[in-house]
Amino acid sequence: MDHNKLALPVGTTLDRFIMRKQEDFPYATGELSQLLRDIALAAKIVNREINRSGLIDIAGAYGNRNVQGEDQQKLDVIANIRFIRALRNGGEVCTIISEEDDEMIQTGNNQGKYVVAIDPLDGSSNIDVNVSIGTIFSIYRRVSPTGREGTAADCLQPGTHQVAAGYVIYGSSTMLVYTTGNGVNGFTYEHSLGEFFLSHPDIQTPKTGTIYSINEGSSDSFSPGVAAFVQHCKERSFSARYIGSLVADFHRNLLKGGIYIYPATSKGPQGKLRLMYECNPLAFIVEQAGGKSSNGYQRTMEIEPKTPHERCPVFIGSKELVEEAEAFLAKEKQLKSVPSK
């Protein structure tokens, strides 16, 4: 037997990686590192609940609607509870905004230096059919003085102020992908050891791709610019790939190249996705990986938020494809500005 194989390393754990990367922040005193560990712990618990959802009665609709007017699933509620509890118990977060709660959540940790915006379980309508779902999170440093509750100003910062962002995808394997502004790294969960291990170091998304992801069932309500860009993709024999679970669609395109689009439509002029806990964190990740994100006209992370649950159109993915889509929208805008004779 080759004894060398018996001593092969298992890899770098998330905890060890976070501790090493703490040196990238001269001002860091450990709070952000602990906060990321708290999120990872909650993700492990949620992963367990998802994996056994078919065996116990926690799948299906909960019977309520969230602030978005969407039917809550039971696992939506469970994930929301788990993440809020982990962030509250960790002590580093003063205030949370969640897709599942109408108002800001005050944790009671008034000395906490951070604010978290989170979608606890994205794509939860796909739970019952065993499609990949996820968690998306965004972290900001508070701007109000410590020692008191967080304020709206703490929660409504533009995406350029993010200090960290990430997502967890619960699929054929469970992965946590995050950035602190120094590249993007992915960690795969090893169930038998209960640890996330570095599996995708320094992720770089391709500059272009041959995948477009959009819900073409809404094509009748696309603007002329969006419709023209989609047709442009088809003429180049692009592959249409749309799961209907944002994290899953984004994750595939991040690794393989492509563009994900959820545009403004005649039915939803503000788009559907939420700026603070869906668009901004994914925009931070894709930019750190060499990609791009915009609302079609403006960089996503430069949009000034007005409300915690604000919606935003999004064009996100490979840089060249996003810029092509922006060019089609710019042409549409130019044609609209030309006075009719």
Side-chain angles (χ1 to χ4, degrees), residues 28-100:
T29 55
E31 292 98 334
L32 180 58
S33 297
Q34 182 58 50
L35 174 49
L36 290 168
R37 293 190 193 97
D38 294 336
I39 290 173
L41 173 61
K44 293 176 186 179
I45 297 171
V46 171
N47 178 72
R48 180 194 67 184
E49 303 299 326
I50 291 169
N51 285 342
R52 63 178 186 161
S53 63
L55 302 175
I56 60 177
D57 187 26
I58 57 174
Y62 181 64
N64 290 341
R65 291 194 170 192
N66 62 20
V67 66
Q68 316 299 333
E70 299 166 341
D71 291 329
Q72 284 184 312
Q73 304 295 309
K74 293 175 184 176
L75 278 170
D76 278 324
V77 178
I78 291 172
N80 196 44
I81 291 170
R82 294 300 186 187
F83 278 102
I84 290 173
R85 184 177 294 166
L87 294 171
R88 180 179 284 127
N89 291 343
E92 316 302 339
V93 177
C94 64
T95 308
I96 303 166
I97 55 174
S98 167
E99 182 186 25
E100 303 303 327

Side-chain angles (χ1 to χ4, degrees), residues 115-230:
V115 171
V116 171
I118 190 166
D119 181 352
L121 204 60
D122 172 76
S124 57
S125 61
N126 288 315
I127 292 168
D128 291 348
V129 292
N130 210 20
V131 170
S132 296
I133 53 180
T135 297
I136 311 173
F137 63 90
S138 179
I139 302 172
Y140 296 81
R141 286 180 68 88
R142 71 183 296 174
V143 295
S144 66
T146 57
R148 63 188 70 176
E149 289 187 340
T151 66
D154 294 317
C155 296
L156 297 179
Q157 301 183 56
T160 50
H161 292 186
Q162 292 174 100
V163 296
Y167 63 88
V168 184
I169 181 168
Y170 312 99
S172 57
S173 62
T174 296
M175 282 189 64
L176 186 154
V177 178
Y178 85 97
T179 182
T180 54
N182 289 281
V184 181
N185 293 281
F187 299 78
T188 299
Y189 187 56
E190 215 294 336
H191 292 262
S192 64
L193 298 176
E195 293 280 1
F196 283 101
F197 286 92
L198 180 64
S199 56
H200 294 67
D202 192 24
I203 295 172
Q204 289 292 304
T205 194
K207 292 182 179 180
T208 189
T210 57
I211 296 172
Y212 72 97
S213 306
I214 190 170
N215 181 6
E216 293 195 74
S218 301
S219 59
D220 287 348
S221 61
F222 289 168
S223 72
V226 173
F229 175 72
V230 171

